[in-house]
Amino acid sequence: MKKTALFALMSICLQTFAQLPYFQQNHSCSTIGIEQDDPVDIHFDDVNKVYSYHTGTNGGMIVAKYNSGTGAVTDMVYMSKSGLPFYPIRVRTQGTDYYALFNIVVGGYTRFCLVKLDAATNAIAFVRQVTNTTGTLDMSAVDFVHDGGTNVYVLSNCYDAVNAQTDLGVTKIDVSTATPTILWNYRYENLSRDEFGSNIIVQGTSLFASSISVNLASMLDRGPTLLKLDLNGGYLASRMYKYADPCLPARSGGTWVMPGKSLTLSSISYVGADGNGPLWLAKIDPLTLNMTLQAHYISGAAYMNPEIQPIISTAGNKVLMSGSAPFYNTATPGYVHYFFDFTTLAFSQGTYYSTTNPSHWAGVIYDTYINTGMGKNIFTVAQNNGVVNNYHLLKTSDLGDNACDTSIVIMPSFCTVDYYDISFVQRDNPAILSLIKSFSLIPVADNYTELCYVTCTGCELAPMDDPAIVTKSVGTGILEGGVEAYPNPTTGLIYLKATGTLSEVVVYSLLGKKIPAGVQISNSEASIDLSDEPKGFYLLRFLMNGELKSIRILKD
């Protein structure tokens, strides 16, 4: 096929992609006795599936999977164990697997559990419980991160019944086999403060954990905190960031740290009983944890979620925060997305997505997690407290030209945050990793109605792939469509061998950044050199006989 014909076909494909619609859907669980109206997390696998994580009745939890282009449910599974209440925390995909983290209560104390399942079949690789061996410590997980290799790091809140204090716990687990092992488990204690963890990230050779630190003697003496560790759990540094005049009454209610050359840290706050206070965004030096830039905004009529995500697309590099209309205002329920410039932290855009007015308003509609995948779309899962067993799933654009949205503006405030030294003592936190037996998986039915479904030609400047023509990588071997990628994982060089003509081979990071890898193409074969790139996952995109395909590659 001539090169001009290939470009023409590619152009047609991209035009087709650009017409993929956005959606705002109301999902409802149809299995009697299992509710799923309380979503706690959402994750995109960077290919064609969206995963949401829900609390279920009867002490269980639900993972739902959706087609990322249409929002249609492709699979749901209910996970439970008789007699144990489950509290879902996070769901994450990694390669051809996904992990679910949840808390349970055993013998009056909270423990956390990690489940690994096959992403295609839901077959269990393992279900393991982490238990403190002293018998007096709650270990309540709040977040985990997979390092892209063989390890998972779990952040937990450790409440010690002996001194009635909450500390941060970090546990490193080798998850490469069906019998994972704890590599280390430490608790980080400040004798005069409680710590309430938020999230944990891996960047280079360091771990960064965010939390809200509260003085035991005064609830108003509080603020976001960063804890920096090495990959062996060694304590490196910590800082607390606290409001100064005239915003001392603002009580920090949540925080989140995002990786980058400069760490991005967020905080939401409240004033008085429940009045929403200023939003805070800051750039943090990852070496010293000192603050290099900060910005403040009055959030207006929206209650914000502290979690922040990067938006990297042709619309510009941005930081995204999500939120909801206030729970006391039944006339305007809906979801809010606020966008800030990635470099300057200046507010750039706000969008409000309304919902049908619930007939029985029971609480706040809450955006639980935003994940942009490759920076092309925004997926949101949120409660719908007006109807039992219902929740909302949204796919929106970082351009804000979904026909379901309304433009909103937030104003800067004159608050100031200072940073302070805060020290932690590293303590051994003995724990065991045990098998949970009689763990059951049950398929669950689901249905949905579309509240707003918009074909928006041209407004997705970097649209999602159409799942119908995407080839997923499943290790080494002949893939669907007649393409072989080997070796996968690789240490540097990777080869493509196809049954048709290859062209336009490009490498991307999972955040959508084009990677300047060395590519050589010869008819039906190609070589790609990732020797100079860091370990992790990459996406290969190419044309085979004019058909656009993509394969995910792991560099070890």
Side-chain angles (χ1 to χ4, degrees):
M1 184 180 289
K2 293 183 178 179
K3 191 171 184 179
T4 53
L6 286 175
F7 279 119
L9 183 54
M10 187 176 180
S11 177
I12 292 172
C13 290
L14 292 176
Q15 289 174 14
T16 302
F17 296 162
Q19 295 172 11
L20 289 176
Y22 302 121
F23 54 73
Q24 179 176 333
Q25 296 167 352
N26 183 33
H27 284 257
S28 176
C29 179
S30 59
T31 301
I32 296 175
I34 301 176
E35 297 180 4
Q36 60 172 67
D37 59 345
D38 187 14
V40 297
D41 195 25
I42 187 170
H43 189 66
F44 175 48
D45 69 0
D46 299 324
V47 183
N48 55 31
K49 288 287 193 307
V50 176
Y51 293 68
S52 67
Y53 200 18
H54 305 253
T55 300
T57 58
N58 305 319
M61 57 198 179
I62 295 171
V63 174
K65 290 181 271 187
Y66 315 87
N67 180 300
S68 61
T70 66
V73 176
T74 61
D75 187 18
M76 296 187 72
V77 62
Y78 173 65
M79 299 182 246
S80 67
K81 185 180 186 302
S82 177
L84 281 180
F86 283 24
Y87 303 96
I89 303 299
R90 295 282 178 214
V91 62
R92 293 286 185 270
T93 61
Q94 184 67 36
T96 57
D97 301 301
Y98 70 95
Y99 295 80
L101 179 69
F102 62 93
N103 292 322
I104 60 175
V105 178
V106 180
Y109 290 97
T110 302
R111 311 293 183 231
F112 67 79
C113 297
L114 190 64
V115 187
K116 179 180 179 181
L117 303 103
D118 184 278
T121 66
N122 295 319
I124 296 177
F126 62 71
V127 186
R128 292 295 188 275
Q129 168 189 302
V130 178
T131 305
N132 178 259
T133 58
T134 64
T136 63
L137 195 71
D138 280 321
M139 294 179 64
S140 181
V142 294
D143 192 31
F144 78 99
V145 61
H146 196 294
D147 67 0
T150 62
N151 303 308
V152 159
Y153 299 87
V154 180
L155 177 67
S156 60
N157 291 331
C158 296
Y159 176 75
D160 192 339
V162 175
N163 61 11
Q165 182 176 324
T166 301
D167 306 315
L168 293 180
V170 181
T171 308
K172 182 177 182 179
I173 305 173
D174 184 333
V175 295
S176 59
T177 68
T179 55
T181 57
I182 295 177
L183 300 180
W184 50 260
N185 184 40
Y186 295 121
R187 181 158 48 106
Y188 304 89
E189 180 182 24
N190 183 298
L191 296 177
S192 62
R193 308 186 73 87
D194 279 328
E195 302 295 328
F196 300 97
S198 297
N199 75 308
I200 186 168
I201 61 174
V202 178
Q203 180 162 305
T205 58
S206 299
L207 295 168
F208 297 90
S210 69
S211 67
I212 294 294
S213 180
V214 182
N215 192 322
L216 294 175
S218 173
M219 286 291 291
L220 291 179
D221 180 3
R222 58 194 296 152
T225 297
L226 275 181
L227 173 66
K228 181 180 179 181
L229 310 172
D230 63 34
L231 297 184
N232 293 315
Y235 174 71
L236 297 177
S238 55
R239 292 285 187 276
M240 183 177 71
Y241 311 88
K242 191 170 65 174
Y243 280 109
D245 284 328
C247 290
L248 283 176
R251 295 178 289 113
S252 297
T255 187
W256 196 262
V257 63
M258 189 172 70
K261 186 175 180 180
S262 291
L263 303 176
T264 306
L265 187 65
S266 70
S267 177
I268 61 171
S269 62
Y270 302 94
V271 178
D274 62 359
N276 46 330
L279 301 178
W280 177 66
L281 288 172
K283 292 291 185 182
I284 307 296
D285 183 338
L287 295 178
T288 64
L289 300 188
N290 293 338
M291 185 168 53
T292 59
L293 179 67
Q294 62 176 311
H296 305 263
Y297 299 92
I298 299 299
S299 58
Y303 281 79
M304 301 306 295
N305 175 11
E307 300 181 16
I308 51 177
Q309 298 294 323
I311 304 293
I312 304 174
S313 72
T314 51
N317 295 347
K318 304 175 186 177
V319 174
L320 171 65
M321 294 187 75
S322 63
S324 65
F327 62 85
Y328 57 80
N329 188 343
T330 60
T332 57
Y335 320 111
V336 174
H337 292 165
Y338 287 160
F339 301 90
F340 305 88
D341 182 271
F342 194 87
T343 303
T344 66
L345 303 181
F347 173 73
S348 61
Q349 180 186 356
T351 54
Y352 165 79
Y353 302 91
S354 62
T355 70
T356 54
N357 191 13
S359 57
H360 300 285
W361 195 248
V364 62
I365 294 178
Y366 182 60
D367 289 354
T368 56
Y369 190 77
I370 303 293
N371 193 312
T372 62
M374 293 187 67
K376 297 177 179 180
N377 297 110
I378 303 168
F379 297 97
T380 307
V381 67
Q383 293 176 340
N384 175 6
N385 289 300
V387 184
V388 177
N389 296 352
N390 282 31
Y391 65 98
H392 285 285
L393 181 70
L394 297 89
K395 176 185 176 183
T396 56
S397 167
D398 61 336
L399 298 179
D401 41 11
N402 183 349
C404 301
D405 78 316
T406 302
S407 178
I408 52 177
V409 175
I410 59 173
M411 301 302 295
S413 76
F414 297 99
C415 295
T416 302
V417 167
D418 296 327
Y419 58 90
Y420 304 86
D421 289 330
I422 181 173
S423 60
F424 290 89
V425 178
Q426 178 181 316
R427 303 191 184 281
D428 188 41
N429 198 17
I432 57 173
L433 193 62
S434 58
L435 173 68
I436 291 188
K437 298 179 180 179
S438 303
F439 189 80
S440 61
L441 294 178
I442 305 170
V444 178
D446 179 90
N447 57 67
Y448 67 91
T449 56
E450 294 156 358
L451 301 181
C452 183
Y453 199 82
V454 183
T455 299
C456 186
T457 303
C459 60
E460 292 184 82
L461 296 185
M464 281 293 305
D465 291 330
D466 186 338
I469 65 169
V470 172
T471 303
K472 287 182 67 176
S473 173
V474 190
T476 303
I478 298 297
L479 306 172
E480 180 183 352
V483 181
E484 185 179 12
Y486 60 93
N488 188 14
T490 181
T491 57
L493 283 173
I494 192 158
Y495 301 92
L496 292 181
K497 185 175 182 180
T499 57
T501 302
L502 291 174
S503 61
E504 307 301 326
V505 179
V506 183
V507 184
Y508 293 92
S509 73
L510 291 189
L511 288 177
K513 180 182 178 181
K514 187 175 179 180
I515 303 299
V519 176
Q520 300 291 329
I521 304 173
S522 177
N523 196 20
S524 62
E525 298 182 354
S527 65
I528 301 96
D529 189 357
L530 297 175
S531 301
D532 295 332
E533 302 304 322
K535 294 180 180 180
F537 281 97
Y538 295 88
L539 198 69
L540 304 185
R541 293 193 173 191
F542 53 91
L543 294 177
M544 188 188 78
N545 289 342
E547 185 178 4
L548 184 63
K549 294 180 179 291
S550 63
I551 295 177
R552 188 157 51 176
I553 299 299
L554 173 62
K555 182 187 175 184
D556 270 346

